[in-house]
Amino acid sequence: MVILYYCVQKKLNLYKFGTVSIGVALVIGLTYTMFVLPSNAVGQSKIVSIVKGASNPSSTEPYNPSPLSVPVGATVTWINNDNTAHTVTQGNPSGNTPPNGFDSGIMAPGKSFTHTFGTTGNIQYYCTLHPTMLGEVIVK
Ligand SMILES: [Cu+2]
């Protein structure tokens, strides 16, 4: 009888322990999702403006801001605020363009293009229509 009681008691304790553990794990998980993840890269987004007169060779920052530093996983959206078409194309005009790099294609005025950066590196990009337009995203 005593042994049986002991067994039932132990099972109840185990059950209780399990419930508490799951509860604690849920709270930790939720806290992590709500506060830690957003403060890191996930969901972080930045905007780069293609400025007015960006194709003018004297334009010092046709893509603004550039260079732009972001954490891995961040999303960058380029908006064409100029009154002429441009592209956002990974690589540089010297032909150093990766085969699977991002490319907005022709962006008419007012159009935007978004890319998410999954790995670290200094990522160069340019405008295929105006090779003086250079930009860089530094992914840390
Ligand atoms: Cu351009």
Side-chain angles (χ1 to χ4, degrees), residues 67-90:
L68 170 70
S69 288
V70 297
V72 176
T75 294
V76 178
T77 297
W78 288 264
I79 300 172
N80 186 359
N81 291 314
D82 199 6
N83 46 25
T84 187
H86 295 289
T87 79
V88 174
T89 307
Q90 188 173 351

Side-chain angles (χ1 to χ4, degrees), residues 50 54-55 63 82 84-87 126-131 133:
I50 301 175
S55 60
Y63 299 100
D82 199 6
T84 187
H86 295 289
T87 79
Y126 70 110
C127 174
T128 56
L129 305 174
H130 312 103
M133 290 175 59

Side-chain angles (χ1 to χ4, degrees), residues 31-124:
T31 307
Y32 186 77
T33 308
M34 288 168 71
F35 299 106
V36 180
L37 284 182
S39 69
N40 288 337
V42 176
Q44 180 161 337
S45 57
K46 295 280 184 186
I47 289 177
V48 174
S49 172
I50 301 175
V51 302
K52 278 218 160 56
S55 60
N56 188 327
S58 66
S59 177
T60 52
E61 209 168 358
Y63 299 100
N64 187 297
S66 174
L68 170 70
S69 288
V70 297
V72 176
T75 294
V76 178
T77 297
W78 288 264
I79 300 172
N80 186 359
N81 291 314
D82 199 6
N83 46 25
T84 187
H86 295 289
T87 79
V88 174
T89 307
Q90 188 173 351
N92 63 54
S94 316
N96 192 0
T97 302
N100 295 313
F102 57 83
D103 185 8
S104 65
I106 307 286
M107 287 168 68
K111 294 289 178 190
S112 64
F113 168 71
T114 296
H115 179 74
T116 299
F117 291 87
T119 51
T120 57
N122 291 13
I123 315 296
Q124 295 181 313

